[in-house]
Amino acid sequence: RTGCILAGATVIVGSMGGHKYEWSQHKKHLFNLGIKYSMFNSIGIIISSLVTESPVPAGLFLTGILGFSFPIWFKAFTEKASFSGFLPFGGFAMIAAWFALAIL
């Protein structure tokens, strides 16, 4: 359920950002990167619920979305880099989630 809710939320956020015609190409690229990785990892949560009973992969996928996609979206919408320090941790959590899914 969490993966499906996050996938739906990603579509909503994507549609909100898709109407920001005044954004620079760089800002659009960053925003779309956050959308892409959020959707990949939402799907990862769904897959993990089907292939393992361990909560570790899903937790890492969620951590990745919160630590990577949300800071990018925050920066795109507010032009503040307040949460950009979380980006490397979010990216690492995403990588770890896929490996955890393969192992567990």
Side-chain angles (χ1 to χ4, degrees):
R1 290 182 182 156
T2 301
C4 293
I5 291 168
L6 287 170
T10 299
V11 173
I12 292 169
V13 173
S15 68
M16 290 168 43
H19 292 93
K20 297 289 188 181
Y21 299 112
E22 70 276 3
W23 280 359
S24 68
Q25 285 297 105
H26 177 70
K27 190 181 280 192
K28 287 179 186 179
H29 171 73
L30 286 177
F31 180 80
N32 288 328
L33 186 68
I35 291 294
K36 180 171 49 174
Y37 280 94
S38 179
M39 188 58 77
F40 285 153
N41 288 282
S42 296
I43 292 168
I45 292 172
I46 296 166
I47 292 170
S48 68
S49 73
L50 299 172
V51 301
T52 184
E53 291 183 17
S54 174
V56 172
L60 287 168
F61 283 124
L62 179 59
T63 301
I65 292 169
L66 294 174
F68 186 81
S69 295
F70 282 4
I72 288 177
W73 297 335
F74 183 81
K75 184 176 181 180
F77 281 110
T78 68
E79 297 186 10
K80 296 178 184 175
S82 306
F83 300 106
S84 294
F86 292 107
L87 290 169
F89 300 106
F92 178 77
M94 290 177 177
I95 294 165
W98 287 105
F99 285 118
L101 186 58
I103 295 168
L104 299 174

